[in-house]
Amino acid sequence: MKKEYLNVLLADDDEGNLILFKNILQEFKIQVKVKTFCNGKDLMIYLNENTVVPEVVFMNYSLPLKNSLECLGEIKSNQKFDPMTIIVFNDNLSSEQEEEAFVTGANIVMKKPDNYRDMKKNITDIISITWQYHTSGLNKNNFIMKV
């Protein structure tokens, strides 16, 4: 039996970003269950201690306590997390930072838009593609995207 929702984790130390993401995700026709974290350390503790592997993880590039690249390294070293789609985002990423995120294991790198409409479009596109991979059983190991 296929589940009819996506488990999404959000990791960002900016509470405003967490609220914005949650509000956008709650508007989807696809049911989304969201859990939030304020730092990379708590995100990784949750992932390692939980038996449920989320389908989607959004994490700010500049997470405190354990940055996104450290989290990506841990995630990619554990096959349990292979089904996850990992999105690294930030307001302003250099080309080098984007490349580093992809090389370390991010599936999607997103420059966070400065307005609600564009942010909603980006997140909608990401969730729609992830839902297609999730429901069709496609192999997402070679899936990368820049938004």
Side-chain angles (χ1 to χ4, degrees):
M1 180 156 110
K2 285 193 175 197
K3 54 185 193 175
E4 299 298 319
Y5 61 89
L6 289 176
N7 282 307
V8 175
L9 302 184
L10 301 172
D12 194 332
D13 61 332
D14 182 332
E15 190 171 337
N17 281 343
L18 293 175
I19 292 169
L20 176 65
F21 273 83
K22 284 171 72 173
N23 286 342
I24 290 170
L25 290 167
Q26 289 174 351
E27 295 177 18
F28 289 148
K29 291 178 184 169
I30 302 167
Q31 186 178 355
V32 178
K33 294 184 179 184
V34 181
K35 182 149 183 68
T36 61
F37 303 89
C38 295
N39 61 67
K41 181 181 174 188
D42 290 344
L43 169 67
M44 292 312 301
I45 289 170
Y46 176 84
L47 283 171
N48 288 316
E49 291 180 355
N50 233 312
T51 56
V52 175
V53 175
E55 287 78 31
V56 182
V57 177
F58 285 92
M59 67 175 106
N60 192 314
Y61 183 86
S62 306
L63 287 173
L65 302 183
K66 186 176 280 197
N67 68 42
S68 63
L69 298 178
E70 293 171 309
C71 293
L72 280 168
E74 275 188 51
I75 289 168
K76 289 303 176 180
S77 70
N78 188 338
Q79 288 183 336
K80 163 186 166 182
F81 302 126
D82 283 353
M84 292 190 321
T85 299
I86 304 166
I87 300 94
V88 173
F89 67 92
N90 202 298
D91 297 337
N92 191 16
L93 291 173
S94 70
S95 297
E96 292 81 19
Q97 289 171 318
E98 290 175 355
E99 184 177 338
E100 194 172 22
F102 280 130
V103 168
T104 310
N107 299 101
I108 300 171
V109 174
M110 179 180 80
K111 181 178 185 283
K112 189 174 141 296
D114 60 0
N115 65 73
Y116 183 85
R117 182 180 51 89
D118 291 343
M119 183 70 160
K120 182 176 179 180
K121 181 190 179 322
N122 287 355
I123 293 174
T124 300
D125 290 347
I126 289 167
I127 294 297
S128 295
I129 290 169
T130 301
W131 183 252
Q132 289 173 5
Y133 271 85
H134 173 67
T135 57
S136 66
L138 294 172
N139 180 354
K140 61 152 227 41
N141 287 335
N142 298 322
F143 168 58
I144 62 170
M145 179 171 128
K146 182 177 169 183
V147 182

